[in-house]
Amino acid sequence: MFIDHPGVDWPQFLRLRDLYQLLDEWPDPRPKVLLEIGCGDGLLSSSLADYFEKVVPTEINPRATFPSLIKADAQKLPFSGNSFDAIFSSNVLEHIVDLDACLNELYRVSTNDVTMVHTMPTIWWKSLQFITHPMHLSRSLVRKFRRRRTHSPACNSRQVSTNRSDRSLTSTLKPTIHGVSKSHLDEFGSFKTNWWESRFNSNGFIVVKKTELFFHSPYRLFPYKFMKVRNALAKTYFPCVTAYWVKKKVRN
């Protein structure tokens, strides 16, 4: 499937592009009921609803409201056991504090033949966060300088705006930790493929397949440009997001 980008911003474009690649790979027959963990603004939920018979989107802190949304914590899901034969999340699991509790809940609410697909950033994405940060910082400084030139010192409201931009700039002086890791070093470790495979395995699942997704930096650099190059990099050595196709190991 192909997604045209007019009217869709760069982060949304990336999320939709990755999703449609995964939907193209989803084996038949299609599962009937899919649980979405961390649906955010519901952007992917509507696309999933075109593919599956029923989609149950959940989010602990929704960024939008829509009729089918269920406010729920992935560490304690409000569903009975064996309710879902498909589970999906997009860059969510790395933000969950108690990952083991979440995976145990996913095991509980899923059927024995469930197919789970979870996308997560890779160490290449984390590396790009540091490699491209000087470019991001330079761009932020230029924007800050331009804003100051257009602000009048006599206007208090504009001064408040400038102070806020100063705080925003301070937060860009160094890369931020993306997920719930305590340090960048820990996050490098937790973004490794074998780390995720080990966590799934220790909680009753097995990774049966991995799909390498789009190459991009964390800072929205050069949106919609170099698409063929990005795709080639993702398919060779530098995927920035990996999708893990996970099946359930039936416990005795």
Side-chain angles (χ1 to χ4, degrees), residues 15-252:
R15 291 165 62 199
L16 286 169
R17 187 188 187 282
D18 287 348
L19 174 64
Y20 281 116
Q21 180 177 342
L22 295 173
L23 290 177
D24 283 344
E25 294 184 20
W26 207 292
D28 289 326
R30 300 178 186 178
K32 291 184 178 181
V33 186
L34 178 137
L35 171 66
E36 182 185 8
I37 299 296
C39 65
D41 56 6
L43 174 71
L44 303 186
S45 306
S46 58
S47 295
L48 288 166
D50 293 333
Y51 193 88
F52 297 97
E53 185 175 315
K54 181 179 180 181
V55 173
V56 180
T58 64
E59 173 62 59
I60 190 170
N61 294 309
R63 299 196 299 272
T65 57
F66 44 95
S68 58
L69 172 65
I70 295 176
K71 187 173 181 179
D73 184 349
Q75 299 165 135
K76 192 174 182 180
L77 293 168
F79 307 112
S80 59
N82 303 313
S83 297
F84 303 97
D85 46 11
I87 298 175
F88 173 80
S89 74
S90 174
N91 298 301
V92 170
L93 295 188
E94 73 271 18
H95 297 285
I96 293 178
V97 176
D98 192 342
L99 181 60
D100 291 331
C102 171
L103 292 176
N104 271 283
E105 278 293 273
L106 297 184
Y107 192 100
R108 180 183 66 81
V109 302
S110 61
T111 60
N112 286 341
D113 59 349
V114 68
T115 296
M116 297 202 311
V117 180
H118 301 286
T119 70
M120 265 84 71
T122 68
I123 57 172
W124 296 115
W125 183 93
K126 189 65 182 176
S127 299
L128 277 174
Q129 187 183 31
F130 281 86
I131 293 170
T132 61
H133 187 262
M135 187 183 301
H136 167 64
L137 182 58
S138 299
R139 185 177 61 176
S140 299
L141 287 169
V142 170
R143 288 176 176 173
K144 175 176 176 289
F145 177 74
R146 288 176 177 173
R147 282 195 298 266
R148 282 194 165 181
R149 291 191 63 181
T150 59
H151 288 157
S152 169
C155 180
N156 290 334
S157 63
R158 289 182 177 179
Q159 186 64 44
V160 170
S161 177
T162 303
N163 291 339
R164 286 175 179 171
S165 69
D166 288 344
R167 289 195 296 270
S168 177
L169 179 61
T170 301
S171 68
T172 68
L173 291 177
K174 59 181 181 179
T176 58
I177 294 174
H178 173 73
V180 294
S181 298
K182 294 181 179 179
S183 69
H184 287 292
L185 184 61
D186 286 343
E187 194 156 75
F188 267 105
S190 65
F191 283 1
K192 291 181 179 179
T193 297
N194 58 2
W195 189 91
W196 281 107
E197 290 180 329
S198 175
R199 295 304 290 272
F200 284 124
N201 186 69
S202 63
N203 285 280
F205 297 98
I206 184 170
V207 176
V208 296
K209 176 183 173 182
K210 295 186 290 290
T211 299
E212 310 299 358
L213 299 172
F214 213 50
F215 178 90
H216 67 281
S217 80
Y219 300 118
R220 309 185 188 187
L221 301 176
F222 310 112
Y224 309 118
K225 297 183 183 298
F226 315 116
M227 304 299 286
K228 291 183 179 180
V229 174
R230 291 174 187 268
N231 194 50
L233 288 171
K235 293 183 181 301
T236 53
Y237 301 107
F238 306 108
C240 286
V241 179
T242 294
Y244 296 84
W245 297 76
V246 183
K247 301 292 288 186
K248 193 173 183 178
K249 295 188 295 184
V250 180
R251 294 169 178 166
N252 295 327

Side-chain angles (χ1 to χ4, degrees), residues 2-10 13 224 227:
F2 175 76
I3 307 165
D4 201 2
H5 60 72
V8 177
D9 67 22
W10 178 239
F13 174 82
Y224 309 118
M227 304 299 286

